[in-house]
Amino acid sequence: MINKAIILLCWACACGHAETVKFRPGSDKEAAFMVRSGGQLSGGNRRFADVRSSWTYRFNFKRSKGAKIELEIGNQYAVSYSTNDWEYLPLLDAGVTGEETKPQTIETVDVEKLLGGRPGMLYLKFADCVPENGWGGMLSSIKISGTLSDEKPAEPERPTFAGNPIPLPKKTADVVDVFDCGREPKAIQMMLCSLQGIVAQTQPAICLSAHNFWFKELEKSGVKTEVQPSWAALLEKHKGAVKGYILCDSETWNMATTFAGIRQGLVVHEEIESEIKAFGLKKLNDVRGKDLRWFHTFLSTKAKGRFAINGIVNIKDDRLAMRDWAIANKFIYVHSGLQPNILEKFYQLVAVGACRYGWNDPVDDEFGDVNFAGERGLFTIPTDHTQNLTLISALADPKLFRAAPPPVPAVAKIKNKHIVTILVSDGDNLNLMLEGYRDTYFGSSRRGEIPLGWMVPSSSFDLCPTTYKWYCENATDNDVLLGALSGPGYVYPSKMRGVDAYAKLYDFYNRRAGLKYGVIMDLPDSQAEQKEVFSQFLNRNSYQEGLFFIDYSNYAKWKGDAYLIDGKPVVSLRYILWEGQMSPEEIKQKLAASPTDPSSPESYSVIMLHLWSYNPDEIVEAFSDLPENVELVRPDLFLNMIKEAL
């Protein structure tokens, strides 16, 4: 269905005459016009925008008089245009619904009309007018008539963050105030989250959930608590840390959250302004009616140097999640539903190498989400529900904190067996580690009956130290913690801008958390590229002793391929336990017919358990009874054994 596009461009030469230039998407010439890549390509001459995927070209016209663009286009297309890369207006639409598609046709764009006869930039964005069914817009060719310039707008200057961008744990206040805000109106909840964050700029001292498991674990280390009877009592006690309030409405929660960190002002919705005024607090800013372009301009000019450049938070909807964290650390807080052209501009306000906290951008899917940030130099810590992180990340005494994963067992000499290990997916999600992992998966009563590898972000050592310590202390001899996905955060290394700096952070957190083995997910173009990139993460000087590799395009694409980098093993998945793909019984049948020569890499298999398809109890039941020629071992032992076979 999908073919490569041939794009015909009229290229302006110095004397002003138009010259027709042909090129295919993915070529160097297309890259000169592509602002944000996307869509799907394959052999041929077409590019498709299916569901939420899109791509954008930028054309710089020296002259627009008489200029036009002819698009050979079809299917369910939607084309919009912009002259500033902020506001995009509808331009062309296939005008179809349901499964109906429009035959390929020629659509003509009047450039002179759009640019008002003046020179300037014209942006064309191609998308899907019926994203529900995936037929997508289809572009076969473009023909541009006009005088173009090859000059590009200057890219924003961005520093590369040197060192660790993740804030280190702070010491809690001697007494932590507890107030459960769950039943309060949304406006009060938002205001209290901002109070929590402002106070935590100095010292974490507020918990907004009386039933938080990790806070109760923190109490065991000697943190004293005091329950506050009302939100008003809590505010009265801590209003000395507040300089005033930021007035907002339901459209500007996020803008106010960013201002709250910069100015130490409460986030106050217009509905409760009179109540907050009664505490003697003054209005610092009124962001009602302000749009994102104003917000971005303010941050890049008047607020420059006042917000942190080592992180940014973007969360879906108007949730409470991560607001205290953003305010405490003076991070920009934006909605994850922003269009890519706008989200990109906010990403460019922070440093290359910064951490992006959040999930669910409007960019295709999981890969598009993570890769969009990675291409702009940010690694992702997936979390879109986490609250109270300012307190969860704190410790009664950070200097005394210690947490060590279980020791690695000695290499066993197992003969005439096919060696297998199982990895549990999705541990990169911080919120899952705080809740779902502990409750449902790591909390299984049958955990420990068989060896399993549990993925955790190595940055959890600092983001939720009490949590990380709990996992270490509650691990059985059959449980192994693995740094994933891609270490302190989630990123595809071969696609990431500034990957060399990230590789250093990867090693820093492996050492800090004591994780000698890890999991990296990537989408390399070739095995040669994979090895070149991984050599930055695993080498003779790195702390880690081995890696498991997952290819995003097909988790088991490399079918157990294994090799050494500086004497350390990298092993890809051979099987996936994923509903609708292979069942435990089908995998066991394949294992029963597998080789058992310990000197051959073919005698070793890595299985990944998809967390949302099977629970640990089902896997324990299935893999407690294995064929006689199969031995299930811990992931760390597995890597040490296959190392001797490579």
Side-chain angles (χ1 to χ4, degrees), residues 495-510:
K495 311 297 182 187
M496 185 186 189
R497 176 181 176 181
V499 67
D500 51 344
Y502 182 75
K504 294 177 182 177
L505 182 68
Y506 178 91
D507 190 62
F508 169 82
Y509 263 110
N510 289 332

Side-chain angles (χ1 to χ4, degrees), residues 293-310:
R293 193 169 186 182
W294 176 90
F295 183 34
H296 181 271
T297 300
F298 182 87
L299 290 174
S300 58
T301 54
K302 294 181 180 180
K304 193 171 184 179
R306 298 174 64 188
F307 59 87
I309 61 170
N310 57 309

Side-chain angles (χ1 to χ4, degrees), residues 98 185 251 265 278 359 401 443 470 501 514 527 582 602:
E251 300 299 318
W359 198 243
F401 180 69
W470 183 89
Q527 190 182 69
M582 294 186 75
E602 293 301 314

Side-chain angles (χ1 to χ4, degrees), residues 133-250:
N133 61 25
W135 279 101
M138 174 188 69
L139 178 69
S140 296
S141 67
I142 293 179
K143 180 178 180 180
I144 301 177
S145 300
T147 306
L148 291 170
S149 168
D150 57 1
E151 293 183 8
K152 298 179 181 179
E155 290 290 329
E157 291 186 10
R158 296 174 63 198
T160 296
F161 194 82
N164 176 20
I166 296 173
L168 298 179
K170 291 182 178 179
K171 185 181 185 301
T172 62
D174 293 336
V175 177
V176 172
D177 290 300
V178 180
F179 177 72
D180 198 333
C181 69
R183 295 185 178 181
E184 298 295 333
K186 185 65 165 286
I188 296 296
Q189 291 180 345
M190 286 285 196
M191 181 274 294
L192 291 177
C193 281
S194 63
L195 177 65
Q196 183 183 34
I198 292 167
V199 170
Q201 287 187 356
T202 303
Q203 197 170 37
I206 296 175
C207 179
L208 295 178
S209 173
H211 308 290
N212 187 284
F213 176 87
W214 301 115
F215 177 61
K216 293 186 181 300
E217 286 294 306
L218 189 59
E219 283 186 286
K220 295 178 182 178
S221 65
V223 175
K224 297 179 180 179
T225 62
E226 182 177 308
V227 177
Q228 293 299 320
S230 66
W231 68 263
L234 183 65
L235 176 55
E236 182 64 36
K237 181 173 180 178
H238 291 284
K239 70 178 184 180
V242 176
K243 294 182 179 179
Y245 65 90
I246 314 298
L247 187 61
C248 68
D249 54 26
S250 298

